[in-house]
């Protein structure tokens, strides 16, 4: 019955059910798949390295991404690449398209075909707050997604290249930028998991 379903405690939900709830929070109108906009991003790097501004434009229904930073401007569209300024290897351009589409498209990207989401949900404390944690193993790395137990907002994720040595990176998400009902995390701060080394923060300045 509907009633028994809605009274399920968080720990009784499967990983897949939790990710669905997180997607309902971030993309209630199911817009990411047809998202067509430009993200203006500034990165803040460790001391001694200059901050940079860049733009990533998505046209998701066409599997299209345009990347633009000072000295480099290229387009990836399905299996083809067009470079307007600067130089980039094809393999790296495809990798960047997959990287940006995946990271900025979370948690929606976890519904892509072929994703294996662990059923078992765990609880973990991060920075003094308790989270529901969903584990998603991939071929080369294992990801963990940290969801707020009340709203199901995604507030952090980490991945291990090697789960046994816990070597990888953790990314803390802060703030939300709303765009036509989509709620996209504003700031992402990257740290190593095996040492407390800060790697940088990506700040979403605007969506246009």
């Amino acid at each position: 019955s509907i009633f028994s379903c809605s009274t399920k405690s968080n720990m009784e939900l499967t990983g897949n059910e939790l990710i669905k709830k997180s997607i309902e929070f971030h993309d209630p109108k199911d817009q990411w798949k047809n998202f067509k906009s430009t993200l203006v991003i500034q990165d803040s790097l460790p001391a001694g390295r200059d901050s940079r501004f860049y733009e990533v434009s998505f046209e998701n229904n066409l599997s299209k991404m345009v990347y633009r930073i000072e000295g480099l401007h290229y387009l990836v569209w399905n299996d083809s690449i067009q470079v307007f300024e600067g130089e980039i290897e094809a393999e790296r351009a495809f990798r960047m398209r997959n990287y940006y589409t995946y990271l900025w498209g979370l948690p929606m990207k976890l519904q892509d075909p072929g994703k294996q989401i662990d059923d078992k949900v765990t609880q973990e404390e991060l920075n003094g707050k308790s989270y529901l944690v969903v584990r998603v193993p991939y071929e080369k790395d294992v990801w963990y997604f940290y969801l707020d137990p009340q709203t199901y907002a995604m507030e952090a994720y980490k991945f291990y290249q090697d789960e046994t040595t816990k070597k990888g990176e953790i990314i803390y998400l802060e703030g939300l930028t709303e765009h036509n009902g989509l709620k996209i995390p504003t700031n992402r701060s990257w740290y190593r998991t095996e040492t407390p080394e800060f790697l940088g923060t990506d700040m979403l300045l605007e969506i246009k």
Side-chain angles (χ1 to χ4, degrees):
S1 73
I2 292 168
F3 179 73
S4 63
C5 214
S6 62
T7 56
K8 250 186 168 182
S9 85
N10 281 331
M11 296 309 289
E12 288 175 285
L13 294 169
T14 64
N16 205 32
E17 289 171 324
L18 265 183
I19 293 299
K20 282 201 167 80
K21 283 183 178 286
S22 188
I23 291 169
E24 276 165 30
F25 173 84
H26 287 281
D27 187 12
K29 298 189 204 155
D30 193 22
Q31 288 177 300
W32 177 253
K33 63 175 186 280
N34 294 314
F35 184 75
K36 184 185 174 180
S37 295
T38 297
L39 308 183
V40 182
I41 301 163
Q42 178 184 3
D43 64 15
S44 161
L45 299 169
R49 293 176 61 191
D50 289 344
S51 178
R52 303 168 304 175
F53 293 87
Y54 58 96
E55 291 185 1
V56 185
S57 304
F58 297 105
E59 212 169 322
N60 286 343
N61 61 330
L62 295 176
S63 189
K64 192 173 178 181
M65 183 198 88
V66 177
Y67 180 91
R68 186 194 293 239
I69 194 168
E70 195 184 330
L72 180 63
H73 179 198
Y74 64 90
L75 156 75
V76 183
W77 190 350
N78 286 321
D79 302 333
S80 64
I81 292 159
Q82 200 174 346
V83 182
F84 306 109
E85 185 191 354
E87 283 178 23
I88 187 163
E89 289 174 5
E91 190 192 338
R92 180 165 169 77
F94 287 127
R95 206 164 59 235
M96 295 302 270
R97 189 259 313 264
N98 297 344
Y99 168 85
Y100 284 111
T101 311
Y102 180 73
L103 284 187
W104 290 95
L106 286 170
M108 293 69 80
K109 292 296 289 174
L110 297 175
Q111 285 207 311
D112 284 3
K115 298 279 177 290
Q116 293 298 316
I117 298 171
D118 280 11
D119 280 341
K120 187 173 159 35
V121 173
T122 56
Q123 267 180 311
E124 198 181 314
E125 210 169 280
L126 266 192
N127 298 337
K129 178 171 171 177
S130 181
Y131 287 98
L132 299 166
V133 186
V134 178
R135 180 179 178 273
V136 182
Y138 289 89
E139 220 176 300
K140 292 187 175 158
D141 39 30
V142 177
W143 288 66
Y144 291 84
F145 297 94
Y146 292 79
L147 309 179
D148 178 290
Q150 266 73 52
T151 64
Y152 306 106
M154 187 172 279
E155 294 189 357
Y157 40 78
K158 74 178 171 193
F159 63 88
Y160 291 135
Q161 281 120 353
D162 181 353
E163 211 170 6
T164 50
T165 61
K166 304 238 182 304
K167 190 176 158 67
E169 293 172 18
I170 185 160
I171 298 94
Y172 298 100
L173 310 175
E174 201 184 9
L176 290 168
T177 298
E178 293 215 24
H179 181 75
N180 299 337
L182 258 175
K183 298 185 194 75
I184 296 181
T186 311
N187 294 343
R188 296 139 194 275
S189 296
W190 298 68
Y191 292 84
R192 291 210 184 283
T193 46
E194 69 275 19
T195 62
E197 186 191 347
F198 168 65
L199 299 171
T201 299
D202 298 324
M203 297 172 282
L204 178 58
L205 303 180
E206 66 166 317
I207 299 176
K208 59 182 190 180

